[in-house]
Amino acid sequence: MKKIVVTLSILLIIAAICGIGVGAKRESQNQKKLIALAEKHNNESLNQDETMPTSNVYENLTQKQDINALVIGDSIAQSNGSTNDSEKWFNLIAKDVKTKYKSTVTTDLITGGGTTGIRAWVELNNDKATKKYDIAYMCFGQKDQWSMTPAQFGNFYESIIIKLKKTNPNIEIVPIIESSFREYNSYSKVIQELSKQYNLQVADTISTFTGTPESYENLTTDVEIPNDKGYSYYAKTVEKVIDKNYKAKKKTNIKYSALYKDTKKLNTFVFDSTPDINSGFTVNSGVTINNGLVGDKLSNTLTFNTTNSLAIIHYLRQPNGGKFNVYLDGNLVKTIDTSSTYKATYSDLISDNLVGKHIIKIEVSAVNQGGTVNILGLATN
């Protein structure tokens, strides 16, 4: 790319200098413009080369270069249940990589308890980070079983893969089938189908847990969350994927096409934190994501008008959080409880098949003394 731009620059300059039938002053002006244009293209090329990785994670490991990793997912993704940071599965992977390949891994998280593909899609698209990740771990699916159909899960999961690939075509993605599934089903099948479509190797912890001499109960703190021993198996499962692909010198910048036809609905992301009508909610400057809209009375309402097919309410779960009703064109769609033992953002799907103009109304339906409902915005396409 640099060689082409430099050649173009030289040709442009020669053309300016050798122009026939143009006054000396005009020629000088054109020459300056062309040189400036060539320099601009050259600088843009250099900037692209600096920000967009030209090698993948396995080539970086070969060269002992540092690695940027991203974890996307739920409680298991963020290693809830581990006794300390050193026992978190992604830190165990970083330690293993350092030992084997002499590369330092810096890991960022887009995670939260109860995260589904819906929240992961909103958070990833809402994230303004410019860092180009070498590898991403997708670790969710357990909660999706209770909040959407397998087809909807597939659309959001695939859209996240595409988003990561568009940000860095060379990124490696490791889909993790969580041990908490216990058995393979239509949701784990989605992960397997998409992994095949995008040449991704699955870290299957269902298989890992059932293949160990340990009982499932000895690897978890409850029916879902692993303990330190369980997370060590998560790390080993992912490490096997990395080691195998490293030995195979896997190429990650591949041509791909969407597997599911409805995934294209999620190609566009729009986040609206300014309702068309606000009755009683106040702006909370203490919330970092788009500044939350806070309601503390039953009469408080927010109204959003939309013509898009997708509607997702993005809100804050928190201690002493209240409840709110969601109405679509005057009809009650669902009641959402924002009470939680910890503070975290969450997303609920209202509809993904809207046609034409629609009105979405949020109404505070219950608050304890001192409690609030904190709405972050409406995510649409």
Side-chain angles (χ1 to χ4, degrees), residues 150 205 227 324 327 341 356:
T205 61
N227 55 26
F324 64 91
Y327 297 88
T341 56

Side-chain angles (χ1 to χ4, degrees), residues 137-254:
Y137 311 113
M138 294 176 63
C139 184
F140 56 89
Q142 170 65 21
K143 299 298 183 184
D144 297 82
Q145 300 174 95
W146 327 124
S147 61
M148 69 183 95
T149 66
Q152 290 171 322
F153 176 63
N155 293 333
F156 282 100
Y157 203 101
E158 182 169 32
S159 182
I160 291 169
I161 292 174
I162 292 172
K163 171 69 175 179
L164 291 169
K165 281 290 185 182
K166 283 184 176 179
T167 303
N168 174 17
N170 258 317
I171 194 171
E172 171 67 301
I173 302 170
V174 180
I176 298 173
I177 297 180
E178 295 178 307
S179 54
S180 53
F181 275 105
R182 300 296 295 270
E183 295 179 353
Y184 301 105
N185 59 21
S186 53
Y187 293 84
S188 60
K189 183 181 178 181
V190 164
I191 297 174
Q192 291 167 328
E193 287 177 347
L194 287 171
S195 298
K196 183 178 180 181
Q197 178 75 4
Y198 291 89
N199 190 30
L200 308 176
Q201 286 65 53
V202 175
D204 183 354
T205 61
I206 296 178
S207 176
T208 300
F209 272 44
T210 56
T212 66
E214 304 275 356
S215 67
Y216 183 86
E217 290 70 25
N218 287 340
L219 298 175
T220 57
T221 58
D222 56 24
V223 293
E224 292 182 9
I225 306 299
N227 55 26
D228 287 347
K229 184 69 173 178
Y231 282 127
S232 72
Y233 282 115
Y234 266 72
K236 290 174 184 176
T237 305
V238 176
E239 287 162 11
K240 286 181 180 178
V241 171
I242 294 173
D243 292 344
K244 184 176 180 179
N245 289 337
Y246 173 83
K247 291 177 182 177
K249 298 181 179 179
K250 180 186 173 182
K251 301 299 180 183
T252 52
N253 190 354
I254 63 168

Side-chain angles (χ1 to χ4, degrees), residues 30-43:
N30 284 345
Q31 182 180 350
K32 289 178 180 178
K33 288 180 181 178
L34 290 168
I35 291 173
L37 182 62
E39 288 177 345
K40 179 183 177 183
H41 283 303
N42 194 41
N43 288 334

